[in-house]
Amino acid sequence: MTTTTPVQHGERRCYLRGCQRPECRDAHRRYCKRYALRVVEQGPVRVDLRPAHDRVQAWYQQGYSQRQIALAAGGISEGVIQSILAGTINTLHPASARAILGARIEDAGQPGATRLDATGTRRRLQALAATGWPLIQVAQRAGMAHKTARDAVHGTHVYAATAHAIADTYDQLAHQAPEQHGVRQWVTDRTRKWARAHGWPDPTFWEDWGGIDDPAAPETEPEVSVSRAEVITEDALWLERHGYTRHQAAERLGVTKSYIDHSIQRAAARRQKEAA
C-alpha cells in the first residue's frame, strides 16, 4: 500500500494544481531555476545519431522489438528507441548513445522466444476493452488466435512475441474509436460494459499515472493531486519556452512526442471545461 502526503501551499505540486499564492509561485520558480542551472551545468550536449541508429536498426531488422532493445541498453526509454527508428531525431544524448553502443542484445533473449510477466499485456488488453475494443478484434489485428489473447487476460506469463504484438497493437488502437474501424456499436457497448464491471482502467489512466508494465503499480487512481502526465506537460512546455523543440523535450523527458502532444491537448481541454 502506498502512502502519499497531502498537497500543501508552498509546494510546486500546489502550483501545478492552479494555485497562484505567492509561496506556491515561488516554489515553481525555484524549481525552474534549478532546472535551468542543471541544463547549463550539464549542457544539452548532443552526439551524432548515426552509430547508434545503425545498431538499433540492425537489431530491429533481426526481429528484436523496441522494448527488447531498450532493455538491452540498460533500460533507457523505449521512446528514445522509437524516435531513433522513426528518424524524428538527428542527434542523441551522450548517455543514451553510450548505452546503445555498449549494449549486448543477447541480454534481451531471443526475439519472441522468452516468457514474460503478463501484467503489461493483460492491462493493455483490458484498457482497450475499456475503450470498446473487443478481444477478438484486438487479437486479429495483433496477428494471433483469439484464445492466445484470452489466455493473456487471465494468465500470469506470456511469450515475448505475444507481449510485443499486443504492445504494438495497443499503441495503434489506444486512441482510435472502434466504431470508426467497422466494429458494431452494440459490440463496443457490450465490451465497455464488461470492462466497467471489472473496473478496468482505460488507456488515459495509464498515460496519466504510468506503470502499465509494473506489477506493483496501482490499477485505481492514487490519492495524489498531480499526475505524471500533468508534470510532464508542465516540464515539456517549460523546455519549449527555453528553446527546445518538442522532439528534444520528449527525448529529455523520456517519453514520445505523441505522448506530449496528447497530454498538452488533454490539459487544454480540461482547462476549457473548467472555465465553462
Side-chain angles (χ1 to χ4, degrees):
M1 180 177 179
T2 58
T3 58
T4 58
T5 57
V7 176
Q8 299 178 356
H9 291 301
E11 296 181 341
R12 183 170 180 260
R13 292 187 299 166
C14 192
Y15 172 85
L16 291 176
R17 296 294 295 170
C19 181
Q20 294 296 311
R21 287 179 60 157
E23 59 267 38
C24 300
R25 293 166 63 184
D26 287 344
H28 177 64
R29 280 194 290 268
R30 286 195 299 272
Y31 171 87
C32 291
K33 288 180 180 178
R34 288 195 300 268
Y35 198 109
L37 180 61
R38 187 164 73 245
V39 170
V40 170
E41 290 178 343
Q42 299 178 0
V45 180
R46 316 288 293 177
V47 297
D48 185 9
L49 176 68
R50 284 173 294 181
H53 172 271
D54 292 345
R55 196 163 205 205
V56 168
Q57 185 68 38
W59 287 337
Y60 194 66
Q61 290 175 349
Q62 292 171 24
Y64 289 96
S65 70
Q66 295 176 17
R67 185 169 285 102
Q68 284 180 296
I69 296 171
L71 290 172
I76 67 174
S77 167
E78 190 177 339
V80 173
I81 303 300
Q82 181 179 341
S83 297
I84 291 172
L85 290 170
T88 56
I89 56 175
N90 298 315
T91 58
L92 196 62
H93 193 279
S96 297
R98 287 194 299 270
I100 292 170
L101 296 176
R104 286 171 41 87
I105 197 62
E106 296 82 3
D107 295 340
Q110 295 299 316
T114 55
R115 296 277 286 177
L116 304 176
D117 181 89
T119 299
T121 302
R122 170 177 57 80
R123 287 173 173 171
R124 286 178 174 87
L125 290 169
Q126 292 172 347
L128 289 175
T131 64
W133 281 102
L135 199 59
I136 190 169
Q137 287 281 344
V138 178
Q140 289 173 354
R141 290 171 180 271
M144 65 183 62
H146 182 205
K147 182 181 183 302
T148 302
R150 188 173 65 245
D151 290 346
V153 173
H154 303 290
T156 58
H157 290 80
V158 294
Y159 283 108
T162 300
H164 300 322
I166 293 298
D168 290 341
T169 305
Y170 176 85
D171 290 341
Q172 296 167 15
L173 301 182
H175 298 293
Q176 299 288 328
E179 295 87 350
Q180 296 178 358
H181 293 269
V183 184
R184 295 182 178 180
Q185 185 71 53
W186 70 268
V187 175
T188 61
D189 289 343
R190 184 182 64 180
T191 304
R192 292 187 183 101
K193 183 178 179 181
W194 177 50
R196 283 196 301 271
H198 288 83
W200 293 340
D202 62 13
T204 298
F205 171 89
W206 293 113
E207 285 185 3
D208 282 349
W209 300 104
I212 194 169
D213 291 303
D214 181 4
E219 297 186 1
T220 56
E221 189 167 314
E223 294 183 2
V224 297
S225 298
V226 183
S227 70
R228 171 177 177 264
E230 289 177 290
V231 173
I232 287 179
T233 297
E234 183 74 18
D235 288 346
L237 292 174
W238 186 90
L239 286 169
E240 285 188 350
R241 289 196 296 270
H242 288 78
Y244 284 76
T245 67
R246 190 159 293 182
H247 284 297
Q248 291 170 335
E251 184 177 349
R252 195 166 189 88
L253 295 172
V255 296
T256 63
K257 177 181 176 294
S258 61
Y259 179 92
I260 291 180
D261 290 340
H262 187 63
S263 296
I264 290 175
Q265 290 170 2
R266 289 180 52 221
R270 280 197 300 269
R271 286 194 296 270
Q272 291 177 355
K273 184 177 180 180
E274 291 171 357

mmCIF file of all heavy atoms in Angstrom, residues 1-5 216-218 222-224:
data_model
loop_
_atom_site.group_PDB
_atom_site.id
_atom_site.type_symbol
_atom_site.label_atom_id
_atom_site.label_comp_id
_atom_site.label_asym_id
_atom_site.label_seq_id
_atom_site.Cartn_x
_atom_site.Cartn_y
_atom_site.Cartn_z
ATOM 1 N N MET A 1 0.844 -1.195 0.000
ATOM 2 C CA MET A 1 0.000 0.000 0.000
ATOM 3 C C MET A 1 0.877 1.241 0.000
ATOM 4 O O MET A 1 1.826 1.338 0.773
ATOM 5 C CB MET A 1 -0.911 -0.009 1.230
ATOM 6 C CG MET A 1 -1.828 1.207 1.320
ATOM 7 S SD MET A 1 -2.939 1.079 2.749
ATOM 8 C CE MET A 1 -3.815 2.626 2.570
ATOM 9 N N THR A 2 0.587 2.178 -0.888
ATOM 10 C CA THR A 2 1.386 3.388 -0.971
ATOM 11 C C THR A 2 0.753 4.488 -0.138
ATOM 12 O O THR A 2 -0.467 4.570 -0.009
ATOM 13 C CB THR A 2 1.492 3.867 -2.429
ATOM 14 O OG1 THR A 2 0.173 4.085 -2.933
ATOM 15 C CG2 THR A 2 2.191 2.823 -3.275
ATOM 16 N N THR A 3 1.595 5.313 0.464
ATOM 17 C CA THR A 3 1.108 6.451 1.234
ATOM 18 C C THR A 3 1.562 7.726 0.554
ATOM 19 O O THR A 3 2.655 7.789 -0.005
ATOM 20 C CB THR A 3 1.648 6.407 2.674
ATOM 21 O OG1 THR A 3 3.081 6.405 2.632
ATOM 22 C CG2 THR A 3 1.149 5.155 3.391
ATOM 23 N N THR A 4 0.740 8.729 0.593
ATOM 24 C CA THR A 4 1.059 9.999 -0.038
ATOM 25 C C THR A 4 0.822 11.124 0.950
ATOM 26 O O THR A 4 -0.009 11.012 1.853
ATOM 27 C CB THR A 4 0.183 10.233 -1.281
ATOM 28 O OG1 THR A 4 -1.201 10.194 -0.894
ATOM 29 C CG2 THR A 4 0.441 9.159 -2.331
ATOM 30 N N THR A 5 1.566 12.184 0.777
ATOM 31 C CA THR A 5 1.376 13.357 1.623
ATOM 32 C C THR A 5 0.453 14.329 0.911
ATOM 33 O O THR A 5 0.517 14.474 -0.311
ATOM 34 C CB THR A 5 2.724 14.043 1.903
ATOM 35 O OG1 THR A 5 3.344 14.387 0.652
ATOM 36 C CG2 THR A 5 3.637 13.112 2.683
ATOM 37 N N ALA A 216 3.550 -3.761 -9.464
ATOM 38 C CA ALA A 216 3.279 -3.069 -8.203
ATOM 39 C C ALA A 216 2.474 -1.791 -8.392
ATOM 40 O O ALA A 216 2.007 -1.203 -7.408
ATOM 41 C CB ALA A 216 4.597 -2.740 -7.496
ATOM 42 N N ALA A 217 2.312 -1.343 -9.635
ATOM 43 C CA ALA A 217 1.585 -0.092 -9.881
ATOM 44 C C ALA A 217 0.093 -0.297 -9.618
ATOM 45 O O ALA A 217 -0.481 -1.312 -10.024
ATOM 46 C CB ALA A 217 1.803 0.374 -11.312
ATOM 47 N N PRO A 218 -0.559 0.649 -8.937
ATOM 48 C CA PRO A 218 -1.991 0.502 -8.648
ATOM 49 C C PRO A 218 -2.827 0.598 -9.915
ATOM 50 O O PRO A 218 -2.445 1.264 -10.876
ATOM 51 C CB PRO A 218 -2.274 1.677 -7.704
ATOM 52 C CG PRO A 218 -1.225 2.692 -8.029
ATOM 53 C CD PRO A 218 -0.004 1.909 -8.409
ATOM 54 N N PRO A 222 -4.376 6.789 -7.793
ATOM 55 C CA PRO A 222 -3.734 7.028 -6.500
ATOM 56 C C PRO A 222 -4.256 8.305 -5.855
ATOM 57 O O PRO A 222 -4.772 9.199 -6.531
ATOM 58 C CB PRO A 222 -2.243 7.161 -6.865
ATOM 59 C CG PRO A 222 -2.121 6.564 -8.230
ATOM 60 C CD PRO A 222 -3.430 6.818 -8.906
ATOM 61 N N GLU A 223 -4.099 8.375 -4.546
ATOM 62 C CA GLU A 223 -4.564 9.555 -3.820
ATOM 63 C C GLU A 223 -3.488 10.636 -3.832
ATOM 64 O O GLU A 223 -2.936 11.025 -2.812
ATOM 65 C CB GLU A 223 -4.928 9.177 -2.386
ATOM 66 C CG GLU A 223 -6.129 8.248 -2.299
ATOM 67 C CD GLU A 223 -6.503 7.940 -0.871
ATOM 68 O OE1 GLU A 223 -5.849 8.481 0.041
ATOM 69 O OE2 GLU A 223 -7.445 7.168 -0.662
ATOM 70 N N VAL A 224 -3.175 11.115 -5.022
ATOM 71 C CA VAL A 224 -2.253 12.237 -5.190
ATOM 72 C C VAL A 224 -2.931 13.249 -6.081
ATOM 73 O O VAL A 224 -3.865 12.931 -6.807
ATOM 74 C CB VAL A 224 -0.906 11.799 -5.810
ATOM 75 C CG1 VAL A 224 -0.193 10.839 -4.894
ATOM 76 C CG2 VAL A 224 -1.113 11.170 -7.173
#
